[in-house]
Amino acid sequence: MSDSQTPDLSQLQNDAQTTLRLAEEAWKSQDPARLIAILKECDRILQALPPEPSVNGALVPNPSDALAKERAGLWLWRGRLLVMADKPDAVVQGLHSLDQAILRLRTVTDREGADEGMAIAWMNRGSGLFRLESREALAEAVRSYDQAIELLERAPERMRNALGASWMNRGVGLMNLEHVTETKEATAARLAEAVKSLEKAIAVLEPLASNEPAAQHNLASTWSNLGMLRARLEDPAGAVAAHRNAVDLFRPLATGGAPGEVFELAARLYNLGQACGAAGDTREALAAGREALVHAALVETRDPQAMELVLRIRHALCVVLGGQLAASRTKAEDPDRGARLEEAGDLVEDGLAALKAQGPSTEGVAAAGARLYEFGAWLYRTQQPQFLGEFLLDHLGEDKMRAQIAAAAVQAARQAFVQRGFNDSTHGGMDRVLDILQELGEVETKVKALGAAG
């Protein structure tokens, strides 16, 4: 090779270092265009670097390679960017890139920052494996966080937030690492270990939270996960306390009005409401749910996640209100009965109307809408049967899930009329019953056309 064809190692090194610096800046900005551009630049420079030695096709990292750390850094950033992707194939490519980074960082002669880089690689490896959503990937994710924790335990103080995040994610992984063949004893041991991991994360993050927003966010997420885990362990009071801590930590983070933070606060309030309801505190459950709905309404509901959360919050509030309505039959028994009935009806009607206006969406949104429709069917069937047929038809559409719900509601309503007697005054008399039955017949006709007759 002539001198003109010999790679300029100094220039390549400068290019690589510039790319690594720009990658850090792009990561902080989270600007999609900048991140995509950096990914392409990482690929370009990796291809331009001189080849590395191999034995039988397997890479043999050269510790004395003048570009060893730059290679590792480029592979690391390539992996970090790819594991964020929504497509599994891209995530798998990202995991491969992170493995390449770890392989080189283990052998570089210049150790400054190498262990920190490896810890970041292991953390991102765990994050990418979470996204693959299989039990095998989840088990490997937990192992990745174990590796990150081992490195971060002896890392500089500035890496403490990363250590806390790793303990948290290890706990989340253990929470979800279940299998149908797992014994009760094994489940109990796994969940106990998950509790320890989350408690360890809290211990690491609490001293940082007052000065580091990122640590405060991780601490809030840890408390939220611990709340869900305590609920699974049938500790309702502990779950409420944990979710309350999560909400208190998220409130100041959401004060700026950033959609992502507002969404997070709404989700934490929803979890708190659910926990309060499970603990039997309906007043606090309603207060948390109502506040959650206010915050969730500030987020762009055309985003599927936001719409699903709004529908789930509405349904959770309806369940609490429905329980109160079912516990009383007259205004004398419950002076707030009329207000509860009106609020529940508005929650259902407004939620389904918003969903209809949005049009087709994800399976999760459709399922959440079906649950709200099912509650509405129960509400009108048991509390205001004169409006049941109208409600079922107004929100039925062409949805087969809702058609099945409507068929069951019509059947249950007919049975109630038979059991009470058609002249029972609670129905409004025979003429009113006939009108209701006629409307229910129209529902049945529509349901049959959708192939979901009861």
Side-chain angles (χ1 to χ4, degrees), residues 4 25 37 75 83 91 98 108 162 173 179 212 226 234 260 348 370 446:
S4 63
E25 294 173 1
W75 280 115
V83 294
V91 174
L98 292 170
V108 293
H179 194 269
E212 297 183 35
L226 185 57
E234 299 181 353
V348 172
K446 179 64 184 255

Side-chain angles (χ1 to χ4, degrees), residues 138-410:
L138 195 56
E140 184 63 16
V142 171
R143 190 182 78 82
S144 295
Y145 285 115
D146 283 338
Q147 295 290 324
I149 289 167
E150 183 179 346
L151 291 162
L152 290 167
E153 290 280 14
R154 57 177 186 265
E157 194 69 19
R158 66 176 181 277
M159 301 295 290
R160 297 294 287 176
N161 180 48
L163 174 61
S166 293
W167 277 114
M168 175 185 69
N169 286 318
R170 180 181 189 270
V172 172
L174 288 167
M175 280 172 61
N176 296 290
L177 192 57
E178 52 197 339
H179 194 269
V180 291
T181 62
E182 189 175 52
T183 65
K184 289 183 179 179
E185 294 76 14
T187 299
R190 174 174 56 79
L191 295 181
E193 185 65 23
V195 169
K196 289 180 182 178
S197 290
L198 294 174
E199 290 177 343
K200 182 68 175 178
I202 290 168
V204 171
L205 294 167
E206 274 188 333
L208 311 175
S210 60
N211 296 317
E212 297 183 35
Q216 185 172 342
H217 190 285
N218 283 332
L219 180 59
S221 295
T222 304
W223 275 116
S224 184
N225 282 298
L226 185 57
M228 288 184 276
L229 181 51
R230 285 176 175 173
R232 285 178 61 182
L233 295 172
E234 299 181 353
D235 176 11
V240 170
H243 285 304
R244 199 177 300 284
N245 283 336
V247 167
D248 289 344
L249 286 159
F250 263 113
R251 282 192 194 282
L253 295 172
T255 54
E261 301 296 354
V262 174
F263 175 88
E264 289 271 18
L265 177 57
R268 304 314 167 202
L269 283 161
Y270 166 75
N271 289 337
L272 175 59
Q274 292 286 82
C276 289
D281 190 342
T282 55
R283 184 179 66 83
E284 287 297 320
L286 288 171
R290 287 165 180 155
E291 187 183 355
L293 191 57
V294 170
H295 289 293
L298 298 175
V299 182
E300 173 53 62
T301 51
R302 288 195 177 277
D303 173 76
Q305 278 190 313
M307 174 55 83
E308 184 175 349
L309 177 61
V310 167
L311 294 172
R312 290 172 67 186
I313 293 170
R314 288 179 177 276
H315 182 262
L317 284 167
C318 284
V319 169
V320 178
L321 292 167
Q324 293 175 329
L325 288 167
S328 67
R329 285 193 162 275
T330 66
K331 186 77 173 176
E333 294 176 358
D334 179 8
D336 297 321
R337 180 177 177 78
R340 299 189 206 282
L341 185 59
E342 182 179 3
E343 182 179 5
D346 288 345
L347 286 165
V348 172
E349 297 280 2
D350 292 348
L352 293 177
L355 182 54
K356 183 178 182 180
Q358 177 177 284
S361 192
T362 63
E363 287 185 11
V365 171
R371 286 192 293 272
L372 198 59
Y373 182 74
E374 185 174 34
F375 178 86
W378 173 87
L379 181 70
Y380 288 112
R381 178 175 61 80
T382 61
Q383 309 298 319
Q384 296 176 310
Q386 67 271 26
F387 300 129
L388 176 61
E390 180 184 358
F391 167 79
L392 293 174
L393 285 173
D394 281 352
H395 300 289
L396 179 57
E398 303 297 320
D399 190 308
K400 291 194 174 182
M401 277 193 294
R402 295 190 192 184
Q404 293 174 350
I405 293 166
V410 169

